[in-house]
Amino acid sequence: MSEEAVSDIIREILELKGEREAVILAHNYQRADVQEIADFRGDSLGLARLAASTDAKVIVFCGVFFMAETANILSPDKITLLPDLDAGCPLADTIRAEDVRKLREENPGVPVVTYVNSSAAVKAESDFCCTSGNAVEVVRSVSSERIIFTPDRNLGEYVRKATGKEIIAWDGCCPVHDRITADEIGELLDRHPGAVFVAHPECRPEVLRLAHEVASTEGIYGFANRTAAREIIVGSEEGMLFRLRRENPDKTFYFPPGGSLCPNMKLITLKKVLRSLRGLEPRVEVPEDTRVRALRAVERMISLG
Ligand code: 13P
Ligand code: SF4
C-alpha cells in the first residue's frame, strides 16, 4: 500500500472515531501501525480497566477475542468491536466451561482462579479472574491454601512458587511463549554478557528461572525503561519491539531467535479497523446470563486495585 493510501485510511479512522464517539484500545502485541492510531495501548489488565472506565459509546478492541469479551463484560451498554473475529487465542481455547465444572467436582470447595486469557463462559464458572500483571496478588488474596488455576500451566507454576500455595493447574499453555527454550535464552545471555533478561510469565519454568525480571507486557516496558542495562533480552511477543525501541532508543533488544510471533494478534490491520468503524461490526456480545456470572470474577480482580 502506498504511503498516501495509508494516510487516507488513518484520516478516515480518526474522523469516524470522532463521529461514532469511539475509543481505540490496542494490546501491546498489535502491529506497530495499529498501536500508532490507538488512543490507549496496554496489557490485559490496563485495557480491562480502561474498558470499565471509558465514556465512549464504542470500543474498538485491537487485540484477541477474549479481550473484546472482557471489555463487553465490563461495559455491556457500549458497542464492542473486534475488527477480525478470527483473532482468537489458542491458550483460551484449551479449556471449556464444562472442564471447569469437572475440576470443581474433583476438588470440592477449592476456589477457581482463571487467567483472563479464557472465554467468558469459562470466566462465568470461576470465582476470580487474574491477569499476568496481578496473578500472584489475586492468588495471595484468596483465603484458601489450595487453588484451582486455569488455563495456563506456566503462569500457574509461577504463581505456585511466588505464593507457596498448592496449585491445581489446568494443562494449557500459550504456543508462542511455551516454545521459547532455556537453551536459546542461555545462548543469548552467553553472547551478550552485559544483557538482562525479562520474561512474560507464560514462559516455561526453566526459562523463567533465567529471568532477571518476570512481568506482564506493560511490566516489561517498565523494566526496560528503568534498568541500567543497555542490552535487554525479551521473552515475549515480537510486537513489543515497536514501543521498546521508541521509548529506549539508546538500548538494544533481543528476542528469541526461534521466533515469538502471535499470528492471531497480527490479524488486526488498519483496513479492518476502518471497516469495523464504518459498519460498526463485527461486534462481540456476551450473552447476558454468562456476562453477569463472568462479571463477578472480573470485578473481584478489578477491585483489588
Ligand atoms: P498481558 O496481559 O501481559 O498483556 O498478556 C496478554 C497475553 O496474551 C500474553 O500472551
Ligand atoms: Fe494467546 Fe499466546 Fe497470542 Fe497471548 S501470545 S494472545 S496467550 S496465543
Side-chain angles (χ1 to χ4, degrees):
M1 230 192 311
S2 70
E3 263 181 44
E4 210 178 315
V6 173
S7 47
D8 282 350
I9 291 175
I10 293 173
R11 194 172 326 110
E12 200 184 336
I13 287 175
L14 299 180
E15 271 168 27
L16 276 174
K17 194 180 71 160
E19 276 171 36
R20 307 276 196 232
E21 297 182 52
V23 65
I24 302 179
L25 307 183
H27 186 262
N28 292 323
Y29 293 165
Q30 288 291 291
R31 293 168 184 271
D33 55 1
V34 171
Q35 292 197 43
E36 201 89 71
I37 54 105
D39 296 298
F40 300 100
R41 291 154 284 274
D43 63 5
S44 305
L45 181 59
L47 296 177
R49 287 207 178 111
L50 282 161
S53 64
T54 178
D55 290 330
K57 292 198 171 127
V58 177
I59 297 172
V60 185
F61 214 113
C62 302
V64 290
F65 194 83
F66 75 80
M67 296 181 176
E69 269 193 333
T70 307
N72 185 245
I73 288 166
L74 286 159
S75 292
D77 50 328
K78 298 177 173 59
I79 294 172
T80 303
L81 303 172
L82 179 65
D84 188 331
L85 288 183
D86 285 336
C89 168
L91 166 61
D93 292 343
T94 62
I95 188 162
R96 300 156 303 170
E98 63 232 60
D99 298 318
V100 183
R101 288 196 290 269
K102 190 153 177 275
L103 280 169
R104 278 197 193 277
E105 270 167 38
E106 289 164 359
N107 302 280
V110 180
V112 179
V113 176
T114 289
Y115 188 32
V116 72
N117 295 39
S118 54
S119 67
V122 165
K123 290 183 179 77
E125 297 293 335
S126 307
D127 299 300
F128 300 84
C129 223
C130 74
T131 70
S132 59
N134 64 12
V136 170
E137 196 191 348
V138 169
V139 168
R140 265 201 197 115
S141 78
V142 178
S143 58
S144 167
E145 287 309 303
R146 291 184 84 208
I147 307 279
I148 298 169
F149 191 90
T150 80
D152 190 284
R153 62 168 183 251
N154 292 337
L155 182 60
E157 175 60 11
Y158 173 68
V159 163
R160 185 190 68 75
K161 282 196 185 119
T163 63
K165 294 197 178 189
E166 184 188 340
I167 301 290
I168 302 156
W170 180 255
D171 193 16
C173 69
C174 159
V176 180
H177 288 84
D178 195 65
R179 66 137 305 282
I180 299 172
T181 65
D183 279 355
E184 62 184 340
I185 300 301
E187 274 170 34
L188 278 174
L189 284 165
D190 287 347
R191 241 185 296 142
H192 306 282
V196 288
F197 173 46
V198 56
H200 194 278
E202 286 173 12
C203 292
R204 291 171 180 225
E206 64 269 26
V207 171
L208 295 183
R209 261 197 297 277
L210 299 174
H212 299 88
E213 178 98 345
V214 176
S216 75
T217 56
E218 204 56 35
I220 290 174
Y221 291 123
F223 175 79
N225 294 348
R226 69 176 181 270
T227 180
R230 316 306 281 175
E231 293 182 296
I232 302 163
I233 300 165
V234 183
S236 193
E237 208 268 352
E238 295 165 21
M240 303 277 299
L241 198 54
F242 161 67
R243 244 175 89 190
L244 284 170
R245 275 205 185 126
R246 197 173 66 178
E247 292 175 10
N248 306 276
D250 54 334
K251 295 180 182 170
T252 307
F253 296 94
Y254 305 99
F255 280 77
S260 60
L261 191 127
C262 175
N264 292 284
M265 283 282 181
K266 304 304 186 243
L267 285 176
I268 311 297
T269 61
L270 286 179
K271 268 190 181 171
K272 291 177 190 172
V273 172
L274 175 57
R275 203 188 311 150
S276 64
L277 272 167
R278 276 189 189 143
L280 288 182
E281 60 181 35
R283 297 184 189 193
V284 172
E285 284 170 336
V286 178
E288 187 58 12
D289 55 331
T290 306
R291 190 192 72 77
V292 171
R293 288 189 300 130
L295 182 64
R296 275 180 328 175
V298 177
E299 269 182 340
R300 282 183 185 145
M301 167 185 87
I302 300 262
S303 70
L304 277 180

PDB file of all heavy atoms in Angstrom, residues 27 29 64 66-67 88-92 115 117 152 173-177 202 237 261-265, ligand 2:
ATOM      1  N   HIS A  27      -3.767  -3.805  22.250  1.00  0.00           N
ATOM      2  CA  HIS A  27      -2.859  -4.584  23.090  1.00  0.00           C
ATOM      3  C   HIS A  27      -1.417  -4.373  22.609  1.00  0.00           C
ATOM      4  O   HIS A  27      -1.171  -4.063  21.440  1.00  0.00           O
ATOM      5  CB  HIS A  27      -3.222  -6.081  23.052  1.00  0.00           C
ATOM      6  CG  HIS A  27      -2.392  -6.869  24.011  1.00  0.00           C
ATOM      7  ND1 HIS A  27      -1.266  -7.557  23.618  1.00  0.00           N
ATOM      8  CD2 HIS A  27      -2.479  -7.018  25.351  1.00  0.00           C
ATOM      9  CE1 HIS A  27      -0.714  -8.116  24.682  1.00  0.00           C
ATOM     10  NE2 HIS A  27      -1.438  -7.812  25.749  1.00  0.00           N
ATOM     11  N   TYR A  29       0.792  -6.305  21.751  1.00  0.00           N
ATOM     12  CA  TYR A  29       1.296  -7.179  20.689  1.00  0.00           C
ATOM     13  C   TYR A  29       0.765  -6.791  19.314  1.00  0.00           C
ATOM     14  O   TYR A  29       1.019  -7.500  18.326  1.00  0.00           O
ATOM     15  CB  TYR A  29       0.867  -8.635  20.943  1.00  0.00           C
ATOM     16  CG  TYR A  29       1.466  -9.315  22.154  1.00  0.00           C
ATOM     17  CD1 TYR A  29       0.912 -10.494  22.643  1.00  0.00           C
ATOM     18  CD2 TYR A  29       2.588  -8.813  22.794  1.00  0.00           C
ATOM     19  CE1 TYR A  29       1.437 -11.144  23.736  1.00  0.00           C
ATOM     20  CE2 TYR A  29       3.119  -9.459  23.900  1.00  0.00           C
ATOM     21  CZ  TYR A  29       2.540 -10.625  24.371  1.00  0.00           C
ATOM     22  OH  TYR A  29       3.062 -11.277  25.451  1.00  0.00           O
ATOM     23  N   VAL A  64      -7.240  -9.716  20.885  1.00  0.00           N
ATOM     24  CA  VAL A  64      -7.859 -11.000  20.543  1.00  0.00           C
ATOM     25  C   VAL A  64      -9.223 -11.134  21.229  1.00  0.00           C
ATOM     26  O   VAL A  64      -9.590 -10.318  22.072  1.00  0.00           O
ATOM     27  CB  VAL A  64      -6.924 -12.198  20.874  1.00  0.00           C
ATOM     28  CG1 VAL A  64      -5.729 -12.223  19.933  1.00  0.00           C
ATOM     29  CG2 VAL A  64      -6.474 -12.167  22.321  1.00  0.00           C
ATOM     30  N   PHE A  66     -10.847 -12.880  23.513  1.00  0.00           N
ATOM     31  CA  PHE A  66     -11.173 -12.850  24.949  1.00  0.00           C
ATOM     32  C   PHE A  66     -11.056 -11.427  25.504  1.00  0.00           C
ATOM     33  O   PHE A  66     -11.745 -11.072  26.461  1.00  0.00           O
ATOM     34  CB  PHE A  66     -10.311 -13.855  25.745  1.00  0.00           C
ATOM     35  CG  PHE A  66      -8.885 -13.427  25.963  1.00  0.00           C
ATOM     36  CD1 PHE A  66      -8.548 -12.515  26.968  1.00  0.00           C
ATOM     37  CD2 PHE A  66      -7.861 -13.942  25.193  1.00  0.00           C
ATOM     38  CE1 PHE A  66      -7.233 -12.127  27.174  1.00  0.00           C
ATOM     39  CE2 PHE A  66      -6.547 -13.560  25.388  1.00  0.00           C
ATOM     40  CZ  PHE A  66      -6.237 -12.639  26.376  1.00  0.00           C
ATOM     41  N   MET A  67     -10.199 -10.627  24.912  1.00  0.00           N
ATOM     42  CA  MET A  67     -10.017  -9.251  25.409  1.00  0.00           C
ATOM     43  C   MET A  67     -11.264  -8.416  25.081  1.00  0.00           C
ATOM     44  O   MET A  67     -11.721  -7.620  25.909  1.00  0.00           O
ATOM     45  CB  MET A  67      -8.782  -8.617  24.776  1.00  0.00           C
ATOM     46  CG  MET A  67      -7.496  -9.324  25.164  1.00  0.00           C
ATOM     47  SD  MET A  67      -6.041  -8.546  24.428  1.00  0.00           S
ATOM     48  CE  MET A  67      -4.762  -9.550  25.176  1.00  0.00           C
ATOM     49  N   GLY A  88      -8.422 -15.202  17.603  1.00  0.00           N
ATOM     50  CA  GLY A  88      -8.669 -15.947  18.842  1.00  0.00           C
ATOM     51  C   GLY A  88      -7.386 -16.098  19.643  1.00  0.00           C
ATOM     52  O   GLY A  88      -6.362 -15.506  19.317  1.00  0.00           O
ATOM     53  N   CYS A  89      -7.451 -16.899  20.699  1.00  0.00           N
ATOM     54  CA  CYS A  89      -6.253 -17.175  21.497  1.00  0.00           C
ATOM     55  C   CYS A  89      -6.215 -18.681  21.754  1.00  0.00           C
ATOM     56  O   CYS A  89      -7.089 -19.212  22.450  1.00  0.00           O
ATOM     57  CB  CYS A  89      -6.300 -16.405  22.816  1.00  0.00           C
ATOM     58  SG  CYS A  89      -5.045 -16.939  23.994  1.00  0.00           S
ATOM     59  N   PRO A  90      -5.226 -19.390  21.182  1.00  0.00           N
ATOM     60  CA  PRO A  90      -5.154 -20.842  21.363  1.00  0.00           C
ATOM     61  C   PRO A  90      -5.068 -21.262  22.830  1.00  0.00           C
ATOM     62  O   PRO A  90      -5.541 -22.346  23.182  1.00  0.00           O
ATOM     63  CB  PRO A  90      -3.878 -21.242  20.616  1.00  0.00           C
ATOM     64  CG  PRO A  90      -3.523 -20.081  19.755  1.00  0.00           C
ATOM     65  CD  PRO A  90      -4.166 -18.859  20.324  1.00  0.00           C
ATOM     66  N   LEU A  91      -4.488 -20.420  23.680  1.00  0.00           N
ATOM     67  CA  LEU A  91      -4.452 -20.748  25.116  1.00  0.00           C
ATOM     68  C   LEU A  91      -5.879 -20.745  25.676  1.00  0.00           C
ATOM     69  O   LEU A  91      -6.287 -21.695  26.358  1.00  0.00           O
ATOM     70  CB  LEU A  91      -3.573 -19.738  25.866  1.00  0.00           C
ATOM     71  CG  LEU A  91      -3.701 -19.729  27.395  1.00  0.00           C
ATOM     72  CD1 LEU A  91      -3.318 -21.081  27.990  1.00  0.00           C
ATOM     73  CD2 LEU A  91      -2.833 -18.626  27.997  1.00  0.00           C
ATOM     74  N   ALA A  92      -6.639 -19.699  25.373  1.00  0.00           N
ATOM     75  CA  ALA A  92      -8.029 -19.615  25.855  1.00  0.00           C
ATOM     76  C   ALA A  92      -8.837 -20.812  25.357  1.00  0.00           C
ATOM     77  O   ALA A  92      -9.717 -21.326  26.061  1.00  0.00           O
ATOM     78  CB  ALA A  92      -8.659 -18.306  25.389  1.00  0.00           C
ATOM     79  N   TYR A 115      -7.153 -17.196  34.589  1.00  0.00           N
ATOM     80  CA  TYR A 115      -6.403 -16.185  33.838  1.00  0.00           C
ATOM     81  C   TYR A 115      -7.361 -15.563  32.820  1.00  0.00           C
ATOM     82  O   TYR A 115      -8.194 -16.258  32.236  1.00  0.00           O
ATOM     83  CB  TYR A 115      -5.255 -16.915  33.152  1.00  0.00           C
ATOM     84  CG  TYR A 115      -4.215 -16.089  32.445  1.00  0.00           C
ATOM     85  CD1 TYR A 115      -3.858 -14.821  32.870  1.00  0.00           C
ATOM     86  CD2 TYR A 115      -3.540 -16.622  31.340  1.00  0.00           C
ATOM     87  CE1 TYR A 115      -2.869 -14.102  32.209  1.00  0.00           C
ATOM     88  CE2 TYR A 115      -2.551 -15.913  30.680  1.00  0.00           C
ATOM     89  CZ  TYR A 115      -2.224 -14.650  31.113  1.00  0.00           C
ATOM     90  OH  TYR A 115      -1.251 -13.942  30.459  1.00  0.00           O
ATOM     91  N   ASN A 117      -7.005 -14.795  29.930  1.00  0.00           N
ATOM     92  CA  ASN A 117      -6.922 -15.432  28.605  1.00  0.00           C
ATOM     93  C   ASN A 117      -7.813 -16.674  28.594  1.00  0.00           C
ATOM     94  O   ASN A 117      -7.346 -17.811  28.607  1.00  0.00           O
ATOM     95  CB  ASN A 117      -5.475 -15.847  28.287  1.00  0.00           C
ATOM     96  CG  ASN A 117      -4.541 -14.668  28.161  1.00  0.00           C
ATOM     97  OD1 ASN A 117      -4.652 -13.707  28.909  1.00  0.00           O
ATOM     98  ND2 ASN A 117      -3.620 -14.736  27.224  1.00  0.00           N
ATOM     99  N   ASP A 152      -3.505 -21.535  32.155  1.00  0.00           N
ATOM    100  CA  ASP A 152      -2.082 -21.557  31.776  1.00  0.00           C
ATOM    101  C   ASP A 152      -1.229 -22.245  32.841  1.00  0.00           C
ATOM    102  O   ASP A 152      -1.064 -21.722  33.951  1.00  0.00           O
ATOM    103  CB  ASP A 152      -1.582 -20.123  31.534  1.00  0.00           C
ATOM    104  CG  ASP A 152      -0.195 -20.125  30.912  1.00  0.00           C
ATOM    105  OD1 ASP A 152       0.790 -20.375  31.631  1.00  0.00           O
ATOM    106  OD2 ASP A 152      -0.095 -19.905  29.704  1.00  0.00           O
ATOM    107  N   CYS A 173      -1.348 -23.994  27.652  1.00  0.00           N
ATOM    108  CA  CYS A 173      -0.211 -23.083  27.523  1.00  0.00           C
ATOM    109  C   CYS A 173      -0.371 -22.225  26.275  1.00  0.00           C
ATOM    110  O   CYS A 173      -1.179 -22.531  25.400  1.00  0.00           O
ATOM    111  CB  CYS A 173       1.114 -23.845  27.485  1.00  0.00           C
ATOM    112  SG  CYS A 173       1.329 -24.806  25.988  1.00  0.00           S
ATOM    113  N   CYS A 174       0.404 -21.163  26.238  1.00  0.00           N
ATOM    114  CA  CYS A 174       0.423 -20.286  25.071  1.00  0.00           C
ATOM    115  C   CYS A 174       1.496 -20.811  24.118  1.00  0.00           C
ATOM    116  O   CYS A 174       2.673 -20.880  24.495  1.00  0.00           O
ATOM    117  CB  CYS A 174       0.760 -18.865  25.507  1.00  0.00           C
ATOM    118  SG  CYS A 174       1.385 -17.872  24.138  1.00  0.00           S
ATOM    119  N   PRO A 175       1.120 -21.175  22.890  1.00  0.00           N
ATOM    120  CA  PRO A 175       2.122 -21.748  21.985  1.00  0.00           C
ATOM    121  C   PRO A 175       3.267 -20.788  21.666  1.00  0.00           C
ATOM    122  O   PRO A 175       4.380 -21.221  21.361  1.00  0.00           O
ATOM    123  CB  PRO A 175       1.323 -22.075  20.710  1.00  0.00           C
ATOM    124  CG  PRO A 175       0.009 -21.397  20.837  1.00  0.00           C
ATOM    125  CD  PRO A 175      -0.223 -21.107  22.291  1.00  0.00           C
ATOM    126  N   VAL A 176       2.998 -19.499  21.751  1.00  0.00           N
ATOM    127  CA  VAL A 176       4.031 -18.503  21.420  1.00  0.00           C
ATOM    128  C   VAL A 176       5.106 -18.469  22.512  1.00  0.00           C
ATOM    129  O   VAL A 176       6.306 -18.474  22.229  1.00  0.00           O
ATOM    130  CB  VAL A 176       3.393 -17.090  21.254  1.00  0.00           C
ATOM    131  CG1 VAL A 176       4.448 -16.050  20.918  1.00  0.00           C
ATOM    132  CG2 VAL A 176       2.276 -17.120  20.213  1.00  0.00           C
ATOM    133  N   HIS A 177       4.670 -18.455  23.771  1.00  0.00           N
ATOM    134  CA  HIS A 177       5.629 -18.361  24.872  1.00  0.00           C
ATOM    135  C   HIS A 177       6.204 -19.725  25.262  1.00  0.00           C
ATOM    136  O   HIS A 177       7.362 -19.812  25.677  1.00  0.00           O
ATOM    137  CB  HIS A 177       4.961 -17.724  26.098  1.00  0.00           C
ATOM    138  CG  HIS A 177       4.702 -16.258  25.910  1.00  0.00           C
ATOM    139  ND1 HIS A 177       3.592 -15.777  25.271  1.00  0.00           N
ATOM    140  CD2 HIS A 177       5.429 -15.178  26.254  1.00  0.00           C
ATOM    141  CE1 HIS A 177       3.642 -14.451  25.237  1.00  0.00           C
ATOM    142  NE2 HIS A 177       4.743 -14.062  25.826  1.00  0.00           N
ATOM    143  N   GLU A 202       4.086 -16.439  30.971  1.00  0.00           N
ATOM    144  CA  GLU A 202       3.582 -17.568  30.183  1.00  0.00           C
ATOM    145  C   GLU A 202       4.731 -18.447  29.682  1.00  0.00           C
ATOM    146  O   GLU A 202       4.492 -19.489  29.075  1.00  0.00           O
ATOM    147  CB  GLU A 202       2.764 -17.071  28.986  1.00  0.00           C
ATOM    148  CG  GLU A 202       1.398 -16.542  29.360  1.00  0.00           C
ATOM    149  CD  GLU A 202       0.672 -15.900  28.188  1.00  0.00           C
ATOM    150  OE1 GLU A 202       1.125 -16.055  27.042  1.00  0.00           O
ATOM    151  OE2 GLU A 202      -0.332 -15.215  28.425  1.00  0.00           O
ATOM    152  N   GLU A 237       6.305 -11.523  23.050  1.00  0.00           N
ATOM    153  CA  GLU A 237       5.931 -11.452  21.632  1.00  0.00           C
ATOM    154  C   GLU A 237       6.654 -10.289  20.942  1.00  0.00           C
ATOM    155  O   GLU A 237       6.868  -9.224  21.544  1.00  0.00           O
ATOM    156  CB  GLU A 237       4.410 -11.306  21.541  1.00  0.00           C
ATOM    157  CG  GLU A 237       3.802 -11.868  20.290  1.00  0.00           C
ATOM    158  CD  GLU A 237       3.662 -10.888  19.163  1.00  0.00           C
ATOM    159  OE1 GLU A 237       3.915  -9.679  19.385  1.00  0.00           O
ATOM    160  OE2 GLU A 237       3.322 -11.303  18.047  1.00  0.00           O
ATOM    161  N   LEU A 261       6.139 -14.836  17.486  1.00  0.00           N
ATOM    162  CA  LEU A 261       5.109 -14.000  16.880  1.00  0.00           C
ATOM    163  C   LEU A 261       3.734 -14.625  17.103  1.00  0.00           C
ATOM    164  O   LEU A 261       3.571 -15.828  16.899  1.00  0.00           O
ATOM    165  CB  LEU A 261       5.408 -13.891  15.386  1.00  0.00           C
ATOM    166  CG  LEU A 261       4.593 -12.850  14.640  1.00  0.00           C
ATOM    167  CD1 LEU A 261       5.552 -11.939  13.876  1.00  0.00           C
ATOM    168  CD2 LEU A 261       3.641 -13.513  13.675  1.00  0.00           C
ATOM    169  N   CYS A 262       2.781 -13.832  17.544  1.00  0.00           N
ATOM    170  CA  CYS A 262       1.416 -14.345  17.735  1.00  0.00           C
ATOM    171  C   CYS A 262       0.600 -13.978  16.491  1.00  0.00           C
ATOM    172  O   CYS A 262       0.217 -12.819  16.320  1.00  0.00           O
ATOM    173  CB  CYS A 262       0.784 -13.741  18.986  1.00  0.00           C
ATOM    174  SG  CYS A 262      -0.947 -14.238  19.192  1.00  0.00           S
ATOM    175  N   PRO A 263       0.339 -14.963  15.614  1.00  0.00           N
ATOM    176  CA  PRO A 263      -0.346 -14.652  14.349  1.00  0.00           C
ATOM    177  C   PRO A 263      -1.750 -14.089  14.575  1.00  0.00           C
ATOM    178  O   PRO A 263      -2.228 -13.284  13.772  1.00  0.00           O
ATOM    179  CB  PRO A 263      -0.424 -15.994  13.617  1.00  0.00           C
ATOM    180  CG  PRO A 263       0.232 -17.002  14.473  1.00  0.00           C
ATOM    181  CD  PRO A 263       0.627 -16.391  15.780  1.00  0.00           C
ATOM    182  N   ASN A 264      -2.387 -14.495  15.663  1.00  0.00           N
ATOM    183  CA  ASN A 264      -3.751 -14.002  15.946  1.00  0.00           C
ATOM    184  C   ASN A 264      -3.749 -12.502  16.206  1.00  0.00           C
ATOM    185  O   ASN A 264      -4.631 -11.780  15.739  1.00  0.00           O
ATOM    186  CB  ASN A 264      -4.339 -14.744  17.145  1.00  0.00           C
ATOM    187  CG  ASN A 264      -4.598 -16.184  16.815  1.00  0.00           C
ATOM    188  OD1 ASN A 264      -5.552 -16.497  16.131  1.00  0.00           O
ATOM    189  ND2 ASN A 264      -3.711 -17.063  17.238  1.00  0.00           N
ATOM    190  N   MET A 265      -2.753 -12.051  16.950  1.00  0.00           N
ATOM    191  CA  MET A 265      -2.668 -10.619  17.248  1.00  0.00           C
ATOM    192  C   MET A 265      -2.451  -9.808  15.977  1.00  0.00           C
ATOM    193  O   MET A 265      -2.877  -8.668  15.883  1.00  0.00           O
ATOM    194  CB  MET A 265      -1.508 -10.366  18.218  1.00  0.00           C
ATOM    195  CG  MET A 265      -1.832 -10.743  19.640  1.00  0.00           C
ATOM    196  SD  MET A 265      -2.864  -9.439  20.377  1.00  0.00           S
ATOM    197  CE  MET A 265      -3.074 -10.118  22.027  1.00  0.00           C
TER     198      MET A 265
HETATM  199 FE1  SF4 B   2      -2.953 -16.055  23.270  1.00  0.00          FE
HETATM  200 FE2  SF4 B   2      -0.339 -16.511  23.370  1.00  0.00          FE
HETATM  201 FE3  SF4 B   2      -1.300 -14.946  21.467  1.00  0.00          FE
HETATM  202 FE4  SF4 B   2      -1.238 -14.112  24.041  1.00  0.00          FE
HETATM  203  S1  SF4 B   2       0.514 -14.564  22.700  1.00  0.00           S
HETATM  204  S2  SF4 B   2      -2.960 -13.915  22.614  1.00  0.00           S
HETATM  205  S3  SF4 B   2      -1.669 -16.048  25.100  1.00  0.00           S
HETATM  206  S4  SF4 B   2      -1.698 -17.138  21.749  1.00  0.00           S
END
